[in-house]
Amino acid sequence: MAIFGVIGPGAVGSVIGESLHNSGYQVTFLGRRAGKVCIERAGMQETVAFPVEAISEVKTVFDYLFITVKGTQLEGIMPYLDKLTHENTVCILCQNGYGQLEKFHIPNAYQAVVYISGQKKENVVTHFRDRILILPENTVTKKLKEIIAASNLEIRLSPDYRFEVWYKLIVNVAINSVTALSRNTALILQEKTVQNLCERLIQEGVGIAAAEGIYFQGNIADEIMNIYAGYPPHMGTSMYYDRVDGKTMETAYIQGYLYEKSKKHGLDTPCLDTVYSLLLASEMKG
Ligand code: NDP
C-alpha cells in the first residue's frame, strides 16, 4: 500500500490528509512541531483531530508527498525533502500562484490547482467547501488518481492544465490584491471603483495569458466578477489574512509571476504594475 505524507497541516493540507485517512490510507501529517490539528465545519457539531509529527523527527520515506505549506514557506521544508523521498516519490505541490515548481529538484513533482476552501487559526482548521485538486494529465497523475479513487479527495486530470492554472491566477490576482491592499474583506466589492479596478486587473491578466498562448473565450471578466459577487461581504482572501496577521504574502507567486510575464512580453499593464509595487512596498521594513 502506498505511503502518503502531507507537509503543512494547514487549511488545505489537513483536508487532504483527512480525505486520505478516512478512506483507510496510511497518511502522516508533518508540521513544524509535533501536536495535533483539528478540523471543524460550520453547522456540524463534530470536530475531528489528527496527530501531527515534527518534520525534523519523521523517519518515514513517502511514496506520495502533498506539499501544502504556503509559497513563502517553501524554503523551510526544502532541507527535509531528501530524507522524506525515494527516487520515485511523487510530490504534489498544492499552492496558489505559479512558478514555484522551479525550486524542486524532484523528478516527479507537479503543482495542483487547488479548490479547497478553508482557514486555519491556531491548531483549528475550518473547512468551508470543496476537495478538488486539478493536475496535468500524465501516467504518474493517472496512477495517483487510481490509487486514491476510494477517497473523497477529487483529483481532476486536465488535458488543458495551463488553462486551469491561468484561470485561477486571474481569479486570484484581482480579489487578493484589492483585499490585501485595503486590509478589508469582500465588502469592498460594493464600491464601484473597486469593481472597476478588479475588472481591469482581470483584463490585464487575460492579456498576459494570451501573450503566453492561453486564450480565454467569451467574457471572462464578467464571469469572474460574478464569482466575486457571490462572496459573502465578511469573507477575506488568503493574502488579506496574511496581511492582517502580519505574515508574508504570496505576492511573488501571483502578482509577481504575472508582472514578470507582462514585462517579458512588453505589455502595458498599469493596474497590475501599481498593485504589485504597492504590495511589495507594504511589506518593506527599515
Ligand atoms: P495554512 O497557513 O493554513 O497552512 C500552511 C501550513 O504549513 C501551516 O500549518 C504551517 O504551520 C505549515 N508549515 C509552514 N512551514 C512549515 C514547515 N517548515 N514545516 C512544516 N509545516 C510548515 O495555508 P493554506 O492551507 O491556507 O494554504 C496553502 C496553500 O494553498 C497556499 O499557497 C494557498 O494560497 C493555497 N490555497 C489556499 C486555499 C484556502 O482556502 N486556504 C484555497 C486555495 C489555495 P504554522 O501554522 O506553524 O505556520
Side-chain angles (χ1 to χ4, degrees):
M1 191 189 241
I3 302 176
F4 293 89
V6 178
I7 303 181
V12 168
S14 300
V15 171
I16 292 174
E18 178 196 38
S19 290
L20 296 170
H21 172 88
N22 286 354
S23 302
Y25 299 101
Q26 186 183 334
V27 55
T28 306
F29 295 65
L30 296 90
R32 289 183 214 267
R33 291 167 290 278
K36 66 172 183 175
V37 62
C38 304
I39 304 179
E40 63 173 27
R41 294 182 172 85
M44 292 176 77
Q45 298 254 308
E46 199 188 334
T47 301
V48 287
F50 297 95
V52 174
E53 296 185 25
I55 191 168
S56 55
E57 302 297 322
V58 170
K59 303 271 188 293
T60 313
V61 176
F62 297 92
D63 300 314
Y64 290 93
L65 264 181
F66 290 87
I67 299 175
T68 61
V69 298
K70 293 198 165 166
T72 49
Q73 298 168 327
L74 269 177
E75 298 301 332
I77 66 145
M78 289 299 182
Y80 303 108
L81 283 186
D82 275 354
K83 73 159 186 169
L84 300 172
T85 56
H86 54 69
E87 59 180 5
N88 294 318
T89 297
V90 176
C91 285
I92 306 293
L93 182 64
C94 302
Q95 288 179 345
N96 273 332
Y98 206 58
Q100 304 92 305
L101 267 189
E102 288 164 17
K103 297 180 185 234
F104 283 80
H105 303 293
I106 289 171
N108 289 316
Y110 304 95
Q111 182 167 350
V113 181
V114 180
Y115 288 96
I116 295 171
S117 171
Q119 194 189 345
K120 186 179 191 186
K121 275 190 198 153
E122 308 290 332
N123 71 340
V124 177
V125 166
T126 306
H127 179 209
F128 302 120
R129 50 182 284 185
D130 302 328
R131 294 172 187 265
I132 303 165
L133 300 178
I134 304 178
L135 285 166
E137 188 170 24
N138 57 46
T139 49
V140 175
T141 55
K142 271 186 191 160
K143 187 170 170 201
L144 169 63
K145 185 178 164 80
E146 274 167 33
I147 288 179
I148 64 162
S151 91
N152 63 355
L153 178 64
E154 186 182 342
I155 303 265
R156 287 190 192 160
L157 301 182
S158 173
D160 211 355
Y161 166 75
R162 286 183 77 217
F163 177 91
E164 302 287 352
V165 169
W166 276 87
Y167 187 83
K168 186 84 194 281
L169 269 173
I170 294 170
V171 169
N172 275 330
V173 72
I175 192 69
N176 271 280
S177 300
V178 297
T179 51
L181 284 171
S182 65
R183 291 171 158 264
N184 212 336
T185 61
L187 170 80
I188 58 172
L189 290 164
Q190 290 166 14
E191 169 60 48
K192 184 70 186 152
T193 56
V194 175
Q195 288 178 24
N196 292 343
L197 175 57
C198 286
E199 274 188 60
R200 291 189 60 186
L201 282 164
I202 293 165
Q203 276 152 359
E204 289 180 6
V206 169
I208 303 167
E212 286 282 300
I214 317 278
Y215 301 99
F216 289 94
Q217 308 293 329
N219 200 341
I220 183 187
D222 284 351
E223 186 183 313
I224 294 177
M225 291 306 293
N226 271 335
I227 295 175
Y228 292 168
Y231 291 164
H234 62 272
M235 197 193 90
T237 61
S238 59
M239 286 181 61
Y240 160 82
Y241 290 117
D242 284 342
R243 178 94 201 271
V244 296
D245 292 343
K247 295 182 179 166
T248 309
M249 295 181 284
E250 291 177 301
T251 310
Y253 307 109
I254 302 172
Q255 293 82 0
Y257 181 78
L258 292 170
Y259 178 85
E260 270 178 34
K261 296 293 177 195
S262 169
K263 295 303 136 203
K264 180 181 124 190
H265 295 290
L267 301 176
D268 185 31
T269 51
C271 293
L272 174 68
D273 298 6
T274 305
V275 296
Y276 178 53
S277 65
L278 290 176
L279 286 165
L280 292 182
S282 73
E283 291 190 320
M284 281 176 74
K285 293 189 179 82

